[in-house]
């Protein structure tokens, strides 16, 4: 298909492909399309004539105030969109094709929106449709250029499929970026340090807890992009576990390797190293794909800082919640009494009520229930 395009159109297709990868380039790409057919303004907009909603995806030659006016009012009186059924995908439509020029010049859309901006006519082509919603590429002719040339409309028809393809690629990439941001936000709330390693052994992601752990420079660190343990023997074990994960082929089955990391005057950390399964889409540059996931659990960090949902689930009072909070920290009856400034008998009373409400009989059963009910998220 590209081989049949003339040289000017090929350059425009290149610009559209670049815009698909970089949203900041859409203005330039659309301007090239518009100039190719003798237009001085335009854009890509999404509309739903049934719900009467719409938004501009990109544009040029039309200021923000006119764009806002269009969606607030003029989209609903645009004869190109409401004179007839929206045209088929990829078929250019001009105002002159819908009604005589003198009739178009009498419309509110022409006199109050088209003409004040220095335009004389518009051409549009549907580049995407989803139910009643459609995406419309629109371009405006300047005053003094009234007649549409067949060659211009043919050029727009040739370029429309490439606009469609670029929009689909951009949409797909946008969805992937949104998913990535959402996953990163979710991992940042996890109370355990979580890190991703690529096929080259480089650290490509660390959540907030992992960043703090790496910043401590006591147990784990990063050198030349690679995750290292500060303890020599532990680092040897870590590198061996990572090497095994990074060398695995995607069709093999692997387990999780645990690597203990000693810490001076503190309980050791335990790192879990697991291979990440690859996908066919990553074959273009397999070295960039995530090949291993590393999770570190700090035994001295409280795993369940948020107990509000658990308290609501079992109908615990605020006073009982404070006792539960201390129990989760590992405090005994005496320590809880000192911590809360209450009597031992009061602590026992609250604790018995908590056990009764949760259907447990011992503190270790209660903690096990909390562990199975509350996700390890940061407060």
């Amino acid at each position: 298909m590209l081989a049949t395009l003339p040289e000017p159109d090929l350059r425009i297709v290149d610009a559209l492909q670049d815009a698909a990868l970089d949203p900041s380039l859409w203005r330039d790409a659309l301007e090239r399309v518009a100039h190719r057919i003798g237009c001085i303004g335009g854009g890509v907009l999404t509309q739903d004539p049934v719900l009467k909603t719409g938004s501009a995806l990109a544009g040029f030659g039309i200021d923000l105030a006119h764009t806002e006016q269009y969606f607030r009012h003029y989209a609903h009186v645009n004869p190109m969109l409401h004179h007839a059924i929206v045209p088929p995908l990829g078929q250019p439509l001009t105002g002159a094709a819908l009604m005589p020029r003198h009739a178009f010049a009498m419309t509110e859309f022409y006199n109050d929106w088209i003409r004040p901006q220095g335009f004389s006519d518009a051409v549009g082509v549907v580049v995407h449709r989803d139910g009643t919603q459609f995406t419309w590429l629109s371009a405006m002719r300047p005053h003094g250029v009234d007649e549409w040339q067949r060659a211009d409309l043919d050029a727009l028809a040739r370029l429309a499929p490439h606009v469609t393809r670029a929009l689909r690629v951009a949409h797909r990439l946008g969805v992937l970026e949104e998913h990535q941001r959402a996953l990163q936000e979710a991992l940042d709330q996890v109370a355990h340090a979580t890190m991703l390693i690529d096929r080259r052994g480089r650290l490509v992601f660390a959540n907030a807890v992992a960043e703090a752990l790496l910043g401590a420079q006591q147990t784990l660190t990063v050198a030349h992009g690679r995750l290292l343990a500060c303890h020599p023997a532990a680092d040897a074990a870590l590198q061996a576990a990572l090497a095994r994960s990074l060398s695995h082929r995607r069709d093999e089955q692997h387990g999780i390797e645990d690597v203990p990391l000693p810490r001076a005057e503190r309980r050791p950390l335990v790192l879990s190293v697991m291979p990440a399964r690859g996908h066919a889409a990553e074959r273009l540059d397999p070295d960039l794909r995530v090949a291993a996931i590393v999770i570190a659990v700090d035994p001295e960090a409280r795993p369940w800082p948020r107990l509000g949902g658990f308290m609501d689930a079992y109908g615990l009072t605020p006073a009982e919640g404070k006792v539960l909070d201390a129990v989760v920290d590992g405090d005994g009856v005496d320590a809880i009494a000192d911590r809360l400034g209450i009597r031992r008998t009061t602590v026992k009373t609250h604790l018995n009520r908590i056990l009764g409400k949760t259907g447990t009989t011992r503190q270790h059963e209660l903690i096990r229930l909390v562990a199975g009910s509350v996700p390890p998220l940061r407060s």
Side-chain angles (χ1 to χ4, degrees):
M1 185 175 182
L2 287 176
T4 63
L5 291 178
E7 184 63 29
D9 292 353
L10 286 174
R11 290 194 292 269
I12 294 173
V13 171
D14 286 342
L16 289 168
Q17 292 176 345
D18 290 340
L21 302 177
D22 183 352
S24 68
L25 300 178
W26 270 111
R27 177 187 174 92
D28 174 70
L30 294 176
E31 193 167 0
R32 288 170 181 250
V33 173
H35 287 172
R36 176 71 175 84
I37 58 175
C39 293
I40 60 171
V44 172
L45 49 92
T46 295
Q47 287 186 241
D48 191 322
V50 175
L51 299 178
K52 294 186 177 181
T53 58
S55 61
L57 304 181
F60 81 100
I62 303 174
D63 63 35
L64 179 61
H66 280 95
T67 301
E68 293 174 346
Q69 290 174 358
Y70 180 82
F71 289 110
R72 188 165 55 247
H73 176 69
Y74 293 103
H76 312 307
V77 296
N78 182 351
M80 296 182 66
L81 302 181
H82 299 279
H83 185 275
I85 298 174
V86 176
L89 195 71
Q91 178 181 312
L93 179 69
T94 66
L98 292 174
M99 62 180 67
R101 183 166 298 281
H102 71 275
F104 182 64
M106 295 175 63
T107 63
E108 178 187 5
F109 178 67
Y110 174 81
N111 285 286
D112 293 351
W113 198 83
I114 290 278
R115 186 175 181 180
Q117 297 185 75
F119 306 141
S120 65
D121 200 357
V123 63
V125 57
V126 175
V127 291
H128 179 71
R129 181 182 284 112
D130 183 8
T132 60
Q133 179 177 287
F134 62 89
T135 302
W136 175 262
L137 169 62
S138 180
M140 310 295 177
R141 296 299 281 277
H143 280 307
V145 184
D146 295 331
E147 296 297 327
W148 289 98
Q149 300 298 316
R150 184 72 255 170
D152 292 336
L153 298 181
D154 289 344
L156 182 58
R158 288 195 303 269
L159 292 170
H162 298 284
V163 176
T164 298
R165 188 171 294 109
L167 286 171
R168 287 175 177 169
V169 170
H171 174 71
R172 178 69 180 273
L173 292 176
V175 169
L176 291 175
E177 289 176 359
E178 289 179 3
H179 289 176
Q180 183 178 9
R181 283 194 294 269
L183 289 172
Q184 182 171 338
E185 290 175 2
L187 287 173
D188 276 339
Q189 294 305 313
V190 174
H192 301 325
T194 305
M195 293 158 277
L196 305 180
I197 312 294
D198 69 12
R199 281 286 299 274
R200 298 174 186 173
R202 299 173 305 183
L203 178 67
V204 294
F205 171 79
N207 68 351
V209 178
E211 290 282 2
L213 186 64
L214 294 169
Q217 296 290 315
Q218 295 177 350
T219 308
L220 288 171
T221 188
V222 177
H224 305 293
R226 301 178 67 88
L227 181 67
L228 304 174
C230 297
H231 189 281
D235 186 58
L238 173 60
Q239 300 310 317
L242 286 173
R244 284 187 286 271
S245 290
L246 301 181
S247 65
H248 284 144
R249 295 193 303 271
R250 65 174 58 87
D251 58 347
E252 294 177 342
Q253 298 294 324
H254 328 294
I256 300 172
E257 294 192 55
D258 294 322
V259 180
L261 302 183
R263 295 191 293 182
E265 300 180 356
R266 300 177 66 186
R267 292 185 175 91
L269 288 178
V270 176
L271 258 61
S272 295
V273 180
M274 67 194 80
R277 183 170 300 179
H279 299 281
E282 296 160 344
R283 289 174 183 166
L284 184 63
D285 193 349
D287 285 345
L288 296 181
R289 76 174 180 86
V290 173
I293 304 170
V294 180
I295 299 177
V297 178
D298 186 349
E300 296 180 3
R302 178 172 175 172
W304 318 294
R306 301 170 66 254
L307 296 176
F310 185 89
M311 292 170 55
D312 292 340
Y314 291 96
L316 304 186
T317 66
E320 292 165 352
K322 292 179 180 179
V323 172
L324 175 64
D325 197 66
V327 169
V328 167
D329 279 342
D331 292 345
V333 173
D334 291 336
I336 295 173
D338 292 340
R339 173 173 169 174
L340 301 181
I342 57 179
R343 296 179 180 180
R344 293 182 77 261
T345 54
T346 304
V347 173
K348 289 184 177 181
T349 298
H350 286 316
L351 185 55
N352 287 332
R353 288 174 179 168
I354 295 170
L355 296 175
K357 289 180 179 180
T358 58
T360 56
T361 58
R362 298 287 188 274
Q363 283 186 223
H364 70 271
E365 292 181 18
L366 175 62
I367 293 177
R368 184 186 303 166
L369 179 62
V370 172
S373 305
V374 180
L377 301 177
R378 300 190 301 143
S379 57

